[in-house]
Amino acid sequence: MFFKKCNKVSVLIHNVKTTGISNIQAAHLVHVQGQGTLAARSFCPTACDGDSRVLSQITLNNIPLAQLNSPLTPTGSGLLATGYGLANANCQEIMEIQKRMNEPFVSLEESIEVLTPLLTLLHSGLYIIADVLCYPTDGNGNFFWNVPNELQVSPAAMETYYSENMRECVCMSPVFLYPTQDTDCYNEDRVNHYKDVLKSNVARPRAVVLGFNQAIGFLLDGHHKATASFLLKKPLECIAIIPPSGYRLKTKLRTARPSSVYFSQVKIPVTDIPRKFRNSVFKQFQNSTRFEISSGTINHRNWEDCYRVRGKFPCIVEYAEGVAAGISPHVPVSDEQIEACFADPTEEGEARMAALLSVLHGQDDPRVIPVAIKCAKITSSFPLQHKAYEILSEKKGDPDVERLFIEYLVKCSDATDPVFQLMQTYWD
């Protein structure tokens, strides 16, 4: 354990354990002595009017940057609406960090030092600062910046995903992105610049994301980096600021005491936190006074076709199923993993194979076609079979795929068959 004073940001624990969290590359626990001008506030109107939802806003200098209307159940999808744009928040601290965040990445420690002016805008308390990989989409493959201004269901605005196949809950940390900057700021030259940077071998600069205990992360800096990342069909490296999401109590001698603090997927034992900082986290769980959500207007651009085509990124279900199955989308799949999945005929084994197929597809692995063809012939599992045909339907012109499709069409006489419908566009 280390303790380092960095102005008003204290690094309490270096290299927090993040085993099993596929998109976190490194993480530190910090204590911030903050102003509270960059805040995530929530209001539960249940007691007032019987509603069963939670209203939330991320605000900067009292200007909403993003707005949520979420169900009380953590596994339900929330509704997202844009705020009023970073420019309207008139935040000098954001401008101060931008130039240095555009420089090549050195280390998480240096990034924390660079981000200190921004971090001290947060409410005082504990936060995880992590080097993470995020997808520049909304959690359903769509370009992250092309979002409706009004409230709309967002598949990635959920706290927990429950995998029925794996019988496991997956707590979410920021992995998909949501904009906070007005589309008037879009600059094609900046996008092209970052495309060159992201294709190079230099240490790539990071974007900055604020988490809110969900799969969606709110982009505070790096909209052009994320745009370039979408066009290149690559995940984006980000520095994520993750607030506490809850804690676990342990009862001893009829007294309940906190034993662990959760920062989305990251779990930290209370005993690992220096004693003088242990109580600060509980002050962060405070409900706000009542407020209303009104849609912002940050997206008023007619985006080009290249931004309207879904990129080859996992959707929230594919990502979460992969996490539940213990398969990282960022690590190459081994032959042994493939063989182990085929050797397991259980529902869990087939669910793991479906998750593995999605990863092979996302990584453009040449083994995806023979593996998918083998999966397509496993007629005992419709979900796995459908996933295989869904992936193969994109492999136009491959003779083995064409032969498989013709065989299926010859045998199928049901026009409502979902696989049959998938094939209708294959030869278009």
Side-chain angles (χ1 to χ4, degrees), residues 145 183-193 224 301:
W145 212 345
T183 55
D184 283 347
C185 298
Y186 173 87
N187 184 313
E188 188 175 359
D189 290 339
R190 295 297 293 165
V191 173
N192 290 331
H193 165 73
H224 290 93
R301 175 183 170 83

Side-chain angles (χ1 to χ4, degrees), residues 186-243:
Y186 173 87
N187 184 313
E188 188 175 359
D189 290 339
R190 295 297 293 165
V191 173
N192 290 331
H193 165 73
Y194 284 120
K195 285 173 67 177
D196 292 337
V197 170
L198 296 179
K199 286 188 290 186
S200 70
N201 293 323
V202 301
R204 290 175 287 275
R206 293 333 193 224
V208 181
V209 172
L210 178 62
F212 195 51
N213 309 323
Q214 297 182 339
I216 203 80
F218 302 94
L219 202 53
L220 298 179
D221 177 63
H223 287 67
H224 290 93
K225 298 185 189 82
T227 301
S229 177
F230 180 85
L231 294 175
L232 293 174
K233 298 180 174 58
K234 292 183 177 181
L236 179 68
E237 290 167 304
C238 304
I239 302 299
I241 304 164
I242 307 175

